[in-house]
Amino acid sequence: MTLIDIRRTTEILVSLAQAERKYHQFYEEAGQNDRQLGNLSGMHLVRRSLEHIMEDMQEGDQVLNQMIRCLEITCQTFEKYEEEITEYAEESGCQYGSETILKAVEIPENIFRLLR
């Protein structure tokens, strides 16, 4: 069983989006530095090293994008099922006093594999 704290997941999603923006900023700065180094003689090895770093940054950015997308889909899926469960509970009168009985929703262990 997998339990999800949707508020915490949403906070993490916001943090990842901020990290992605910072990542892009660093990548742009690295590109600017590479162009500036192109104007200087004897910087071939430095530029080559910087290009390898920028390639690694692009790969990291792709992974970060996949993580963000996965969390977005997870949040959307969770919210959709939460709404459906709430509607069902309201329609069928699943109430205990003034509180709804539903406290947690179980999500299958293989949810992330299914979302690919």
Side-chain angles (χ1 to χ4, degrees):
M1 172 176 66
T2 302
L3 297 176
I4 291 181
D5 179 346
I6 195 67
R7 284 187 200 125
R8 182 70 181 131
T9 304
T10 304
E11 290 170 4
I12 292 169
L13 185 57
V14 169
S15 295
L16 285 175
Q18 290 171 345
E20 182 184 32
R21 283 190 294 275
K22 227 177 215 185
Y23 213 82
H24 285 290
Q25 179 184 356
F26 291 145
Y27 183 81
E28 290 299 319
E29 288 175 12
Q32 288 173 359
N33 290 333
D34 183 46
R35 286 187 292 280
Q36 289 173 352
L37 289 172
N39 296 328
L40 302 174
S41 62
M43 290 291 140
H44 177 70
L45 292 177
V46 174
R47 289 190 69 207
R48 190 168 179 197
S49 176
L50 188 56
E51 287 172 2
H52 288 296
I53 291 169
M54 290 176 65
E55 288 172 7
D56 290 344
M57 290 176 74
Q58 284 181 327
E59 290 176 16
D61 186 51
Q62 290 173 354
V63 170
L64 189 56
N65 284 331
Q66 289 173 344
M67 291 171 59
I68 289 171
R69 186 64 188 138
C70 182
L71 275 179
E72 286 174 342
I73 291 170
T74 300
C75 289
Q76 291 169 358
T77 302
F78 181 84
E79 289 170 359
K80 176 185 171 219
Y81 285 115
E82 183 180 43
E83 289 172 9
E84 289 179 7
I85 290 169
T86 302
E87 287 176 16
Y88 174 78
E90 289 172 353
E91 288 173 4
S92 61
C94 294
Q95 300 269 335
Y96 182 77
S98 62
E99 288 187 34
T100 303
I101 294 174
L102 301 170
K103 298 289 183 191
V105 176
E106 290 184 24
I107 297 178
E109 288 289 333
N110 61 350
I111 188 73
F112 296 107
R113 184 173 45 81
L114 296 173
L115 291 174
R116 290 184 195 171

